[in-house]
Amino acid sequence: MEKQISRYRWVVFATVLFAYFLIVSQRTAPGLITDQLMNDFSLTASTIGLLTSIQFLAYAGLQVPIGILSDRYGPNLFLVVGTLLNGLGTLIYSLAQNEFVLFLARLLVGAGDAAIWVNLVIILSQWFKVREFVGLLGFAAVSGSFGFLLATVPFSAWIALSGWRAPFLTTGILLCLCGILLYYVLVRKPKLLFRHDAAGTGIQKKKKEKTLVILRRMFTQRQAWATFFCHFGVVGTYVGFIGSWAVPFGMHVYGMTRSDASQLIMIGLFGAIIGAPLTSWISSRLDSIKRPYLVVHLFVFSSWVAFLLFSGKPPYFMLVIIFLVMGYGNGASSLTFAVVRKSFDIKEVGVVSGFANTGGFLSAVLLPIIFGKVLDHFQLASSTIGYLYGFIIPVMFSLIGLIGCFLIKEQRHEAKQPSEAIV
């Protein structure tokens, strides 16, 4: 495949990762202003939880449809449209004057975000050979971790300096410009450079299976459900918590400033940055995905349990370790897609990746809502006892992830045609 040996593939790689970096920052940046939104719009904790969750609900609900459509029609335009929707939603969020507009904005952001990861995976598989793809997928995960990192101390300092609207407005403009850049890099330029390569659509001239046949086969396979549960337990709990209640938790329970509380999230993100490449390296050295991933899930589960053992307020040094471990687990979750790549036919990787990703963001939908309900039950979002009972939720969710990891069946085979694009 000509474009898999071209230098231009690195332009594609850099552009796609920059877009992913910006988009991921907007998954959790609203968590920095939870208390401000409650004050400015007179919102309850339950409403804040729903506001966070609606973004992840759109993301989770669209994962499988996006996977199917991208497999059939190519990922490029979906990635462009997703980036533009994300930018538009962020712009509207920055200008919102009531809670209805806030909900609409987060819904648009979630719909745009839904088109990013699955299409990123497909695009990288089209432009890079399998041997390169596996390593670059880890770099993509690291890029996402840096996006989360942006939405901690740097974004918090910006909010403290200028208020919360200006940072979101600026980011929205950047995302819209990035969508235009992606269109040029992924659609226009390849038409000139690779005239005989189907314009980068990734559509293979093969008879396509019916969608219902693909879905029926996927839903009846233990391996698909194992990846769904793994992501449900290790990704959604982390993303859902830091995207809604992590900063208020640090401020109310430990008396931290907003900047200090956001540093806890930053510690977790350092763990995530380490987790993706280190766990992938360990996995390759052991020639096993399940064993290192199982250890990761055990540590993540134990970290959430620690909140219950210390009545919702562990010693600060332990809190740092907990956030580091949970972040590491989020980074190591790239192994979920390594399981998918090794376990399924290459023409099904897109839809199964979408299904696995649905698991992670389904729990990210549920956790903020239920957590907010628990806090409302105890009257105040600053109640330590409310947070204590709230932590039962991520403990249960991470247990589901651990069970999913036990269900994984090791696969040793590779795709028969490693240079073939995912279609």
Side-chain angles (χ1 to χ4, degrees):
M1 200 171 182
E2 184 183 349
K3 62 186 183 182
Q4 289 188 339
I5 59 174
S6 70
R7 292 183 179 180
Y8 188 74
R9 73 191 192 280
W10 295 108
V11 176
V12 172
F13 179 68
T15 308
V16 169
L17 257 63
F18 179 68
Y20 185 55
F21 163 77
L22 287 179
I23 288 165
V24 168
S25 74
Q26 294 310 297
R27 289 180 184 172
T28 57
L32 297 173
I33 58 170
T34 296
D35 60 318
Q36 289 178 298
L37 293 179
M38 292 176 75
N39 291 330
D40 292 353
F41 296 93
S42 301
L43 304 178
T44 65
S46 296
T47 304
I48 287 292
L50 182 60
L51 181 62
T52 302
S53 295
I54 196 168
Q55 173 184 346
F56 296 133
L57 179 63
Y59 185 106
L62 290 172
Q63 283 299 286
V64 171
I66 288 292
I68 293 171
L69 292 172
S70 298
D71 278 347
R72 288 187 177 273
Y73 303 110
N76 296 329
L77 285 177
F78 284 100
L79 189 65
V80 172
V81 171
T83 305
L84 290 173
L85 281 177
N86 209 289
L88 180 61
T90 305
L91 281 173
I92 294 173
Y93 191 78
S94 71
L95 302 172
Q97 297 299 319
N98 57 62
E99 61 186 270
F100 173 78
V101 178
L102 288 176
F103 276 102
L104 174 63
R106 298 323 292 175
L107 186 64
L108 286 174
V109 169
D113 198 0
I116 305 305
W117 177 255
V118 171
N119 288 299
L120 181 150
V121 170
I122 299 174
I123 287 169
L124 292 187
S125 74
Q126 289 178 347
W127 285 90
F128 295 90
K129 296 178 180 178
V130 168
R131 191 174 301 174
E132 293 176 312
F133 168 83
V134 174
L136 293 178
L137 196 60
F139 278 105
V142 171
S143 174
S145 297
F146 276 113
F148 282 126
L149 189 61
L150 175 65
T152 56
V153 175
F155 218 75
S156 179
W158 193 0
I159 290 169
L161 182 66
S162 63
W164 66 270
R165 293 185 183 272
F168 286 95
L169 177 66
T170 305
T171 306
I173 294 171
L174 280 175
L175 280 166
C176 289
L177 292 174
C178 192
I180 296 171
L181 176 62
L182 283 170
Y183 177 76
Y184 177 79
V185 170
L186 295 176
V187 181
R188 291 294 298 274
K189 189 68 172 179
K191 286 182 179 179
L192 301 175
L193 295 178
F194 308 100
R195 295 181 183 275
H196 303 293
D197 203 20
T201 62
I203 302 175
Q204 300 293 318
K205 303 298 182 181
K206 295 181 180 180
K207 184 178 179 180
K208 298 180 177 69
E209 285 187 287
K210 292 182 179 179
T211 299
L212 287 178
V213 173
I214 296 173
L215 291 177
R216 188 181 302 115
R217 184 166 60 246
M218 180 183 71
F219 285 132
T220 56
Q221 291 197 39
R222 163 178 164 175
Q223 197 80 327
W225 284 103
T227 59
F228 178 94
F229 291 141
C230 281
H231 236 52
F232 183 95
V234 80
V235 173
T237 49
Y238 177 75
V239 173
F241 184 63
I242 69 171
S244 56
W245 298 113
V247 169
F249 169 71
M251 294 172 67
H252 296 147
V253 176
Y254 288 86
M256 298 177 181
T257 64
R258 185 185 315 280
S259 179
D260 289 340
S262 65
Q263 285 180 25
L264 284 176
I265 300 176
M266 187 170 66
I267 290 168
L269 294 172
F270 282 131
I273 290 168
I274 297 168
L278 179 57
T279 311
S280 296
W281 178 79
I282 293 172
S283 175
S284 64
R285 295 286 293 179
L286 296 176
D287 191 27
S288 169
I289 297 174
K290 181 174 182 176
R291 282 181 287 163
Y293 208 15
L294 187 58
V295 172
V296 168
H297 276 269
L298 283 168
F299 274 102
V300 170
F301 173 70
S302 300
S303 295
W304 287 114
V305 169
F307 283 110
L308 302 184
L309 296 178
F310 288 91
S311 302
K313 190 177 180 181
Y316 182 76
F317 78 91
M318 183 172 289
L319 188 68
V320 170
I321 295 172
I322 288 172
F323 270 85
L324 190 66
V325 170
M326 292 189 303
Y328 185 98
N330 186 64
S333 67
S334 60
L335 288 184
T336 296
F337 301 99
V339 173
V340 172
R341 186 65 184 268
K342 283 195 170 187
S343 304
F344 294 90
D345 190 281
I346 200 160
K347 67 179 181 292
E348 299 175 336
V349 169
V351 66
V352 181
S353 295
F355 181 62
N357 224 14
T358 300
F361 287 87
L362 177 61
S363 60
V365 168
L366 296 175
L367 187 143
I369 296 176
I370 303 173
F371 213 110
K373 289 285 187 182
V374 172
L375 294 180
D376 279 346
H377 178 75
F378 290 94
Q379 303 302 317
L380 294 172
S382 58
S383 168
T384 303
I385 193 70
Y387 281 102
L388 169 62
Y389 286 103
F391 283 123
I392 294 174
I393 302 155
V395 167
M396 294 174 62
F397 284 9
S398 59
L399 179 60
I400 292 172
L402 184 60
I403 293 170
C405 201
F406 274 110
L407 290 175
I408 291 174
K409 295 175 68 176
E410 290 277 18
Q411 302 288 330
R412 305 294 183 185
H413 67 274
E414 297 290 338
K416 291 181 181 180
Q417 295 178 336
S419 64
E420 184 180 12
I422 298 175
V423 295

